[in-house]
Amino acid sequence: MAHSEFALVFIAGAVTMLATGLGALPFFFIETVSDRLNVALWGVASGIMVSASVFGLIFEAREYGGPVQIGAGLLVGAALVAVSRKLIHGYEFDPGRYESADFPTLVLVVGVLTVHSFPEGVAVGVSFAQLGLEGGVPLYGFSIPVLAVFMTVAISIHNIPEGIAVSIPLQSMGAGVPRMAWWAVFTSIPQPIGAVIAYGFVRLARDLLAFGFGFAAGAMLWLVIIELIPEGREAGAELPDNGNRVLIAGFIAGILIMLPLLFV
């Protein structure tokens, strides 16, 4: 496999990583993000992730394997995220604590970031499995799969609300926008790494493509269930109806945002 292919996949992962920093940009213009907007953004992020998992990864997986392979991938992806999160249950990422962390704390921080962000990088890497084949989007001499474009855009948009979530507590501590953007990007560092690892795996193990697509989809869907939606519900605790209607509206909007890419 050419080094240029791995470089391209790494760049795609880096784009999604840097998109997290965009979550700090609103704080150039406003001091606080309302609960309603916060809930809506978590809903949009959840809808984008579900849309990317189902309409992107799972639909693509059907081209390479049957329900057993796809189902096994879904279960393993979800189980890996569930087990990983259980091992670090109760630990919250705290940039201030990180700055003065001893080695055990640093290991925990890296673990939190990896569990949170790595599956999204895997999804990007897997989506590049058909890189170089006919029917892709031409770019700088590469034929990039439409699915890869879809996933890179989806994860990038999804990462913006996560950047906002990281920035809110930092803003209350008096941090400036550049520092908020840096810490937001830092939380997504595992994404380009995961993208390259996943791409190398699916290119070497072509017979496991259906499993690989299912694995990435299962990991992301489980993240929506155990992280994104609970985050949205927590942010809407003070709103009427606990913010459920806003969350659902955002979720639907997230799905609709990604639908046009299915027809590219």
Side-chain angles (χ1 to χ4, degrees):
M1 288 179 281
H3 294 303
S4 57
E5 294 180 2
F6 282 97
L8 179 64
V9 174
F10 183 87
I11 290 171
V15 167
T16 66
M17 175 187 73
L18 293 173
T20 315
L22 297 177
L25 296 185
F27 294 94
F28 272 121
F29 312 103
I30 59 176
E31 292 189 3
T32 59
V33 174
S34 68
D35 289 344
R36 186 175 297 276
L37 177 57
N38 203 7
V39 173
L41 289 172
W42 281 117
V44 170
S46 299
I48 287 172
M49 290 286 272
V50 170
S51 179
S53 299
V54 176
F55 302 129
L57 294 170
I58 294 178
F59 276 27
E60 186 74 11
R62 297 183 305 168
E63 300 292 324
Y64 303 99
V68 173
Q69 288 177 292
I70 299 171
L74 285 166
L75 290 174
V76 172
L80 182 62
V81 172
V83 170
S84 300
R85 287 185 64 84
K86 187 175 180 63
L87 292 175
I88 57 174
H89 178 70
Y91 184 83
E92 295 292 336
F93 172 71
D94 181 353
R97 184 180 180 187
Y98 170 77
E99 289 178 343
S100 59
D102 54 16
F103 183 73
T105 302
L106 179 59
V107 171
L108 275 175
V109 170
V110 173
V112 171
L113 298 183
T114 301
V115 171
H116 170 82
S117 189
F118 191 78
E120 296 161 10
V122 168
V124 172
V126 169
S127 70
F128 275 87
Q130 300 302 314
L131 179 63
L133 300 184
E134 293 183 2
V137 178
L139 180 67
Y140 295 113
F142 291 98
S143 178
I144 301 176
V146 173
L147 177 62
V149 177
F150 179 89
M151 292 303 302
T152 302
V153 171
I155 300 299
S156 295
I157 297 174
H158 150 268
N159 277 354
I160 296 174
E162 294 196 349
I164 292 176
V166 172
S167 298
I168 288 174
L170 288 172
Q171 193 267 348
S172 66
M173 294 164 55
V177 173
R179 186 180 178 197
M180 287 188 278
W182 152 247
W183 281 113
V185 170
F186 180 79
T187 64
S188 294
I189 282 177
Q191 288 182 11
I193 300 171
V196 170
I197 293 174
Y199 175 71
F201 174 79
V202 296
R203 292 290 279 189
L204 289 173
R206 306 290 293 177
D207 292 340
L208 296 178
L209 257 180
F211 176 87
F213 281 123
F215 175 89
M220 292 207 303
L221 289 172
W222 195 244
L223 279 175
V224 170
I225 294 170
I226 66 174
E227 182 174 325
L228 272 64
I229 291 179
E231 288 280 2
R233 290 176 59 85
E234 181 179 344
E238 303 299 323
L239 297 176
D241 190 34
N242 293 321
N244 289 332
R245 281 174 290 187
V246 177
L247 186 64
I248 292 171
F251 182 86
I252 294 172
I255 291 177
L256 294 178
I257 287 171
M258 299 312 300
L259 282 181
L261 287 178
L262 298 176
F263 303 100
V264 174

